[in-house]
Amino acid sequence: RQGGRMVLHHVVGGDFDASLRVFTPITAAAARIYSTEEAVATIDWLLRVALDKKRPVYLEIPVDLQNAELPVPGPLSYQPPCSDETSLAMALEEVTLAVNNSKKVGVLVGVFVDREGLQEVVEELLLKSNLPFATTFDQKAGYLEHLPNCVGFYQGAISCKAVLDATEHADLLLTLGMPQTEFACFAQLREAAA
């Protein structure tokens, strides 16, 4: 106690919800367990959100509940989200039309290809299409660089000419597994700043 008030770690000015408010905008979900009765459901919910969104979650467990014994309900009941077949077919048709109507098509492969386990699918697409492609530096795992249509890795204005030709100078740039961040989108940032 300090000045008649309880002093707690991670509590700002007596505000018990400060940490939850801090983590809510930067995680896929944030929650606190208030009782053992809701613990399993809350933890399972956060795990499902993390798996669906592929983003971190935040869980706050009060000290007095951290050693509580809970019944183990069994494995997590989880079904990954699936694509809507109609929407997927429409998107494929639009992309095919755009590729067929473009004079110069390039591909930029990002880190989410690995995260989603799509390496084989992307490699097959790149081989069959024979489109020139580059990888981003955060995706530079090397498993695609043996392909004959790989022009290098993209790093904005300091990229080699072949990479710039295939990416920034393409009529159509297909981005596969690209996070929309300043690390991956140098060209768009330069255009926005101009």
Side-chain angles (χ1 to χ4, degrees):
R1 292 195 174 269
Q2 186 176 22
R5 285 185 9 188
M6 210 168 150
V7 178
L8 300 168
H9 188 41
H10 287 98
V11 173
V12 180
D15 181 358
F16 285 90
D17 295 326
S19 292
L20 281 176
R21 281 197 312 278
V22 166
F23 282 99
T24 296
I26 60 172
T27 59
R32 176 186 299 134
I33 293 176
Y34 291 95
S35 69
T36 56
E37 292 78 25
E38 68 179 354
V40 172
T42 301
I43 292 168
D44 283 359
W45 171 71
L46 285 172
L47 289 171
R48 284 187 199 95
V49 170
L51 290 167
D52 281 348
K53 305 283 185 184
K54 294 192 176 14
R55 293 189 53 222
V57 293
Y58 174 76
L59 175 62
E60 210 170 82
I61 304 172
V63 173
D64 59 341
L65 294 178
Q66 291 177 4
N67 288 325
E69 291 189 23
L70 301 172
V72 178
L76 178 68
S77 174
Y78 174 72
Q79 181 64 41
C82 10
S83 299
D84 172 37
E85 294 299 322
T86 304
S87 297
L88 193 57
M90 288 171 54
L92 182 60
E93 188 176 319
E94 281 189 44
V95 170
T96 302
L97 185 64
V99 168
N100 290 336
N101 289 332
S102 297
K103 291 183 174 101
K104 188 175 182 182
V105 180
V107 180
L108 188 56
V109 181
V111 69
F112 289 161
V113 167
D114 291 345
R115 186 180 294 178
E116 298 293 329
L118 297 171
Q119 298 94 328
E120 289 179 18
V121 173
V122 168
E123 185 170 350
E124 183 180 347
L125 172 74
L126 294 171
L127 273 170
K128 286 184 178 180
S129 70
N130 201 34
L131 292 170
F133 75 91
T135 61
T136 57
F137 73 91
D138 58 350
Q139 193 283 332
K140 189 175 172 6
Y143 71 89
L144 293 173
E145 293 177 357
H146 69 282
L147 299 178
N149 47 333
C150 180
V151 294
F153 78 98
Y154 179 75
Q155 49 189 343
I158 62 170
S159 300
C160 70
K161 183 181 181 326
V163 170
L164 290 174
D165 284 345
T167 56
E168 293 186 18
H169 303 146
D171 296 331
L172 176 67
L173 180 62
L174 301 176
T175 58
L176 306 177
M178 288 288 301
Q180 298 300 307
T181 67
E182 74 279 9
F183 291 120
C185 302
F186 299 107
Q188 291 95 331
L189 288 174
R190 279 202 308 279
E191 286 176 15

